[in-house]
Amino acid sequence: MELETDVLVIGGGMAGLAAACSAADAGASVIVVRKGHGATADSSGAIDIAGYLPGGNTPFQSGREGLRAITGLFPYHPYSVLGQESTETGSQFEKALERVEHSVNMLKKWLSGTPAETIGSLERNISAVTVLGTSKPTSLLQKTMLPPDWDDDSILLFEGFAGNPDFNAVLAAKTFMAERARVGEPPKKIADSELTLSPFGKPYNVSPVEIARHLDHPGGTAFLADSLSKDVERTGATHIALPPILGLKTPAENRRILEDRLDVQVFELLSFPPSVPGLRLLRSLDNTLAGLDVRILEAHEAMNYEQSGNRIVRVQCKTHHRSLDILPDSVILASGKFIGGGITGSENGLSERLFGLPVVSEDWTSTDGIRPQRLTRPISINSRGHALFACGVAVDMHLRPLDGSGNTFAENLFSAGSVLAGYNYPVEKSGLGVALATGVFAGTNAAHALQEE
Amino acid sequence: MSEEEAYEFVKGTLEEEGIVPFHDDELETVKSIENCINCGLCINHCPVVASVGLDRFSGPRSIAVQLTRSPPEYWATADTIYLCTGCGTCREVCPKNVDIPEIVNIVRARIFKTRRDLVPKGLFGVHETLTDYRTAFEPWDDVEEKEASRDMRIERLGLKFVPDRIKDEADVLFYPGCQAEERAQEVREAGKMILEHFGINYTLLEEFNCCGLPARLMGDDETARSLAADLRRKVKALGVSQVVTTCAGCTSSLNDIARRDEWGVPVYHMVEYLVHEVGLDGVRSALKARSDGVLKVTVHDPCHLIRHTSRQTMQDALALLDAVPGVEIVPSGVSDSCCGGGGLVAYHAKDVASAVTQENVGGITHTEAERVVTPCPLCTAQIEASLFRDGSSIEVDDLSVFIAQRLVME
């Protein structure tokens, strides 16, 4: 079977969905093929733009500050590529900032009114609290995850759920208290407690998504409020930190019920993947795409392609027992890195799976023939990170991948997200931000390329 | 000792230790476990976990990692592994392509072979029927009664009787599947009507046998392989160039075994056959509205079609429904949610199967649909029973029956 489309997006994570949204916004017909749910669904749901400079220990105060530093120091970082149009004026920062700001605004619009409605800006990084009690800088958070303001009189209660192995309230409270004391900032009183909420009758092996679904049921959140009230009374809590379980469908409403009934402020912590907010984010973006008449072909894996001259003219996809050929005018490669499967490693080095594009390391040298272990450092957790995570494909200023000799691989092939080289998202805390901004830019470029024809 | 003898000797020792070697065709699945990054994304999507909780059914991830246990220990999973409905949602969302539904079958096969005492008792009835009669449902004692039941169904649904066609040199083998052979006979009749209507040179099997899916799902690998071999022999003897079935489970199972055993013959579900082989235009001109007014219809996507064959099959089904005059399709939002009827779960844990269907019932009853249509006789039965229990008046039709009812008769 064959399908024709203006823009084909390969990959359905943040980069692919942002690309699809912006291409559809620009009037193109769009098909997204998605093999499985990749790193975005598997994330904490926080959208980081820029948290640290590689090697640095002090977080950026804002996404803007991060962009300025990154574009100033790394001329081939994906953020710098976004700013390349203004190279004549000497700085990539202004244009990059404009593009990232634009994509943040687009994302907020797409997520407005969804369960993943997002808050934050490039002007100030948010210090989000994790289930370990640690803090991390991020730019955008889902509204229910924003830590509220607190003062010296505030009492913060970390509330865990019996049988939920993903969150230990005692440990989180301890860690958070130590950190607060170190920086000398409120809240000064921190408590912890555990309540029993057994959606299926037994207080063990309770997964976060079970609790989230339970809270979406009528009466579910009210019951939680009743259970919480004893702990609030006992501790005098003014703020409650919950693991991210406030529902898949109506988290804002569920939080409001808790706050109204308990007269406290409630927020969700960032958790390990796969998280409820990650699922909310992916589902909300999927729904936005459906509203834009974009077709998402689930469980379709792009396997092969045909090139005619300097253009990709056909992409062959397979499903479990069938195949499908897509005839696109433009293609956006947003297939992810190691989790998404866009780039795979073997003893013969790293390779881009679909087009066989050359994969480069953080110093822009080829990874061909290099065992992936060689791209890691001996100390597993260090502020410089591992080169392995900065590997990817090199691109031109329109985000079109380059071939082995540095020429554009195909004039209608664009790329976005973690398949790109040159940014080390685990240490930079820039993962979903780069995915979003390059996604929007690639989508716009792909749609723009159609109009030129 | 020759190499062959040595191999047999080693196999003998393994047997004493309760170890069952993997078949060559299972190795790809076994290897896929190596890719599991233990992320647990699958747990968030598993319909059984959503319905009965992680404590009752430990979820796809735990199943995936079971295979990394030392082999004789598989039995430790017996209380949960038989609760998997085999819907395939976990494989679909898995970022690393771990073939969890097949791992379930492989583990069940080991339990069935080495610790049969742990196999749910409710499955032995089907097991006996399969080994005694080579079909999943016990054949009727009295052929006349079977025909009377068939005629009653035909009359109630307004179908036309078409005599069975068993002939040499046919192009197409029509394979209705066990359910349509012995229980939902209307689906078998509808299939014949449709093929007859479009002048297809088809045949039925002279002696029907099950494709082996139920045997594979309970872990009886030997029976599954022997049934598959029988079927292959019959298909080869007929020399047909295509196989068409009206059952979703058969579609995926036949595609699996046809690929594994190299049949060299494509297997289609009726919806695919109508859209791609007969052609949508031809089908459209052969259909009429059944009554005045518009019938609001919602669909259910059988797991064995969308996840074990291809999501494209439901695009075909929707295109077919769209071609029927007087039908309006209403989305339910839960069409691709497992109906709970799979994996033989309903045979021994009815409460789990029913809990899984509740998601469908909730979604369907919230629409304005007057009818549910699905291209699978098993889903039809499961959803029909659940809607009935829920007090809903919405009826469920198999898609082949729905189409056959609307064929223009001379």
Side-chain angles (χ1 to χ4, degrees):
Chain A
M1 211 170 81
E2 289 181 351
L3 277 179
E4 284 182 24
T5 182
D6 290 343
V7 175
L8 166 67
V9 180
I10 299 164
M14 173 61 90
L17 297 179
C21 277
S22 65
D25 262 348
S29 69
V30 183
I31 290 177
V32 178
V33 295
R34 172 154 78 195
K35 162 174 81 82
H37 286 184
T40 302
D42 221 345
S43 75
S44 72
I47 295 152
D48 308 337
I49 305 286
Y52 294 92
L53 210 55
N57 288 317
T58 316
F60 291 126
Q61 290 301 304
S62 67
R64 170 195 285 268
E65 183 193 307
L67 283 174
R68 188 189 292 277
I70 287 171
T71 52
L73 285 167
F74 306 108
Y76 301 109
H77 190 286
Y79 282 144
S80 308
V81 175
L82 295 181
Q84 257 177 21
E85 261 181 15
S86 55
T87 38
E88 296 130 38
T89 63
S91 159
Q92 297 171 327
F93 167 64
E94 299 292 333
K95 192 73 193 171
L97 179 69
E98 183 193 319
R99 291 227 156 97
V100 176
E101 224 159 21
H102 167 71
S103 44
V104 166
N105 291 336
M106 295 300 276
L107 181 75
K108 282 187 175 169
K109 192 186 84 181
W110 295 326
L111 292 177
S112 150
T114 69
E117 186 150 2
T118 298
I119 199 163
S121 74
L122 290 175
E123 300 310 316
R124 190 177 74 90
N125 267 346
I126 303 164
S127 179
V129 187
T130 74
V131 286
L132 295 174
T134 55
S135 302
K136 84 159 228 178
T138 187
S139 294
L140 301 165
L141 273 180
Q142 290 174 25
K143 276 188 166 172
T144 49
M145 303 169 78
L146 186 72
D149 290 330
W150 32 52
D151 55 38
D152 284 352
D153 296 329
S154 305
I155 301 173
L156 172 63
L157 170 66
F158 283 84
E159 188 78 39
F161 293 85
N164 169 24
D166 288 11
F167 178 53
N168 181 335
V170 181
L171 182 78
K174 234 181 211 169
T175 311
F176 192 63
M177 180 118 87
E179 202 226 336
R180 291 284 108 177
R182 187 175 59 81
V183 295
E185 277 180 25
K188 287 189 168 149
K189 293 176 188 158
I190 296 174
D192 63 79
S193 187
E194 185 175 80
L195 62 80
T196 303
L197 187 83
S198 316
F200 292 100
K202 294 202 177 124
Y204 30 81
N205 293 330
V206 181
S207 80
V209 76
E210 271 171 45
I211 304 175
R213 286 198 188 101
H214 185 71
L215 298 191
D216 281 338
H217 289 155
T221 308
F223 180 79
L224 173 64
D226 283 348
S227 320
L228 272 170
S229 63
K230 288 170 216 119
D231 289 334
V232 172
E233 226 167 88
R234 186 172 58 77
T235 58
T238 54
H239 296 76
I240 300 180
L242 294 172
I245 43 81
L246 277 174
L248 287 169
K249 291 177 181 158
T250 55
E253 171 67 8
N254 296 343
R255 181 176 68 159
R256 197 189 54 74
I257 294 174
L258 291 180
E259 294 190 335
D260 285 358
R261 293 198 174 213
L262 298 168
D263 195 25
V264 294
Q265 282 183 290
V266 175
F267 71 105
E268 292 174 303
L269 302 165
L270 263 61
S271 80
F272 309 120
S275 69
V276 167
L279 190 55
R280 291 200 292 247
L281 175 63
L282 195 78
R283 280 195 181 169
S284 300
L285 285 171
D286 283 1
N287 280 337
T288 303
L289 279 177
L292 291 167
D293 282 333
V294 171
R295 273 181 75 181
I296 301 182
L297 301 179
E298 300 277 3
H300 283 60
E301 185 171 4
M303 298 300 289
N304 231 319
Y305 71 100
E306 258 175 45
Q307 201 165 0
S308 167
N310 199 15
R311 298 177 66 78
I312 309 293
V313 291
R314 178 186 293 266
V315 174
Q316 292 159 346
C317 304
K318 93 171 171 58
T319 61
H320 198 61
H321 273 300
R322 303 283 183 257
S323 63
L324 170 72
D325 282 13
I326 298 178
L327 311 177
D329 280 326
S330 290
V331 182
I332 296 168
L333 182 70
S335 48
K337 199 165 275 174
F338 305 119
I339 295 178
I343 292 176
T344 52
S346 71
E347 65 274 27
N348 302 318
L350 302 177
S351 56
E352 188 281 314
R353 237 183 31 85
L354 179 58
F355 297 100
L357 297 164
V359 173
V360 296
S361 182
E362 61 178 350
D363 56 1
W364 304 96
T365 55
S366 168
T367 59
D368 197 31
I370 298 177
R371 279 168 55 227
Q373 291 90 322
R374 307 277 299 169
L375 299 164
T376 61
R377 293 183 224 283
I379 299 168
S380 62
I381 296 178
N382 69 75
S383 57
R384 279 162 66 218
H386 301 283
L388 188 61
F389 300 118
C391 294
V393 300
V395 289
D396 69 7
M397 61 185 283
H398 305 289
L399 293 178
R400 291 181 299 194
L402 304 177
D403 64 15
S405 28
N407 299 317
T408 304
F409 180 79
E411 65 184 32
N412 64 339
L413 175 65
F414 303 85
S415 58
S418 59
V419 75
L420 299 176
Y423 74 110
N424 205 324
Y425 60 93
V427 287
E428 282 176 17
K429 303 292 171 213
S430 62
L432 287 182
V434 170
L436 168 68
T438 54
V440 169
F441 189 48
T444 314
N445 288 348
H448 189 68
L450 303 171
Q451 288 151 14
E452 281 175 359
E453 281 159 24
Chain B
M1 197 187 273
S2 75
E3 203 170 313
E4 194 65 21
E5 283 165 348
Y7 177 65
E8 289 305 318
F9 177 78
V10 171
K11 261 201 336 199
T13 15
L14 290 178
E15 206 173 301
E16 275 168 33
E17 292 181 31
I19 297 173
V20 183
F22 296 123
H23 288 274
D24 283 351
D25 51 57
E26 290 170 338
L27 290 181
E28 203 180 320
T29 304
V30 173
K31 276 188 193 154
S32 77
I33 312 267
E34 290 172 9
N35 297 331
C36 176
I37 52 174
N38 238 306
C39 70
L41 197 64
C42 45
I43 295 171
N44 289 356
H45 296 266
C46 172
V48 181
V49 171
S51 310
V52 301
L54 201 61
D55 188 54
R56 176 94 191 266
F57 178 61
S58 55
R61 173 174 66 180
S62 90
I63 289 175
V65 298
Q66 292 304 347
L67 261 195
T68 57
R69 284 162 172 259
S70 51
E73 307 283 327
Y74 293 138
W75 62 267
T77 68
D79 56 342
T80 54
I81 200 142
Y82 278 96
L83 294 180
C84 167
T85 60
C87 70
T89 309
C90 46
R91 179 174 61 199
E92 195 171 89
V93 297
C94 177
K96 306 306 289 181
N97 285 358
V98 181
D99 195 352
I100 302 169
E102 272 312 309
I103 293 167
V104 170
N105 294 338
I106 290 175
V107 174
R108 284 181 184 178
R110 266 83 204 148
I111 294 173
F112 194 89
K113 184 110 182 171
T114 57
R115 287 301 300 269
R116 202 169 289 191
D117 55 319
L118 296 175
V119 175
K121 301 291 164 281
L123 294 181
F124 287 107
V126 205
H127 176 242
E128 221 163 86
T129 313
L130 274 169
T131 40
D132 290 356
Y133 304 106
R134 317 288 282 166
T135 95
F137 298 95
E138 205 170 315
W140 295 67
D141 284 336
D142 185 341
V143 179
E144 272 174 36
E145 266 179 44
K146 181 180 180 181
E147 283 171 1
S149 163
R150 177 196 68 198
D151 293 342
M152 216 169 67
R153 285 162 187 264
I154 292 179
E155 199 185 317
R156 181 171 63 84
L157 294 163
L159 300 177
K160 195 180 79 175
F161 175 66
V162 177
D164 279 2
R165 211 160 108 147
I166 296 164
K167 55 175 286 199
D168 294 335
E169 290 177 13
D171 301 327
V172 171
L173 167 66
F174 173 45
Y175 184 86
C178 301
Q179 183 131 7
E181 281 284 341
E182 302 298 339
R183 293 283 188 278
Q185 291 188 71
E186 68 276 14
V187 178
R188 184 176 187 268
E189 298 307 313
K192 287 193 298 181
M193 265 179 83
I194 295 171
L195 293 173
E196 197 85 35
H197 192 92
F198 292 106
I200 311 297
N201 179 19
Y202 76 96
T203 179
L204 290 153
L205 284 176
E206 191 170 355
E207 197 193 335
F208 177 84
N209 76 262
C210 170
C211 66
L213 178 63
R216 193 165 69 153
L217 290 176
M218 80 175 67
D220 185 0
D221 196 43
E222 261 164 52
T223 307
R225 282 175 193 271
S226 118
L227 286 167
D230 273 6
L231 202 54
R232 181 180 194 275
R233 195 171 35 75
K234 289 172 191 175
V235 170
K236 284 284 174 198
L238 280 170
V240 291
S241 57
Q242 287 167 323
V243 178
V244 175
T245 173
T246 40
C247 172
C250 299
T251 308
S252 79
S253 168
L254 293 176
N255 270 289
D256 285 346
I257 58 178
R259 178 151 75 184
R260 182 190 74 192
D261 302 341
E262 295 170 349
W263 286 15
V265 176
V267 182
Y268 301 115
H269 189 277
M270 182 64 89
V271 296
E272 298 175 278
Y273 188 76
L274 287 177
V275 172
H276 300 292
E277 299 295 313
V278 174
L280 208 47
D281 290 337
V283 175
R284 189 177 282 116
S285 57
L287 296 174
K288 63 170 174 25
R290 215 175 162 217
S291 57
D292 297 336
V294 173
L295 181 68
K296 285 189 176 156
V297 164
T298 192
V299 296
H300 170 74
D301 315 347
C303 299
H304 276 279
L305 280 187
I306 57 169
R307 287 185 270 263
H308 293 283
T309 305
S310 170
R311 284 224 171 227
Q312 290 160 39
T313 51
M314 276 318 282
Q315 292 301 321
D316 295 337
L318 288 171
L320 267 184
L321 279 177
D322 192 52
V324 183
V327 166
E328 186 192 326
I329 303 168
V330 202
S332 72
V334 294
S335 69
D336 66 352
S337 179
C338 171
C339 76
L344 302 181
V345 173
Y347 282 89
H348 61 89
K350 253 203 167 64
D351 58 324
V352 174
S354 304
V356 175
T357 330
Q358 276 315 303
E359 175 78 8
N360 307 84
V361 170
I364 291 165
T365 49
H366 269 87
T367 65
E368 291 178 352
E370 306 152 73
R371 190 75 52 88
V372 181
V373 177
T374 181
C376 171
L378 179 66
C379 298
T380 304
Q382 176 75 7
I383 296 175
E384 199 165 43
S386 304
L387 282 170
F388 180 75
R389 267 200 307 274
D390 198 61
S392 163
S393 60
I394 302 172
E395 289 175 34
V396 189
D397 274 340
D398 182 275
L399 181 61
S400 301
V401 174
F402 192 82
I403 296 287
Q405 285 176 323
R406 286 159 181 80
L407 287 170
V408 181
M409 309 276 188
E410 285 87 40

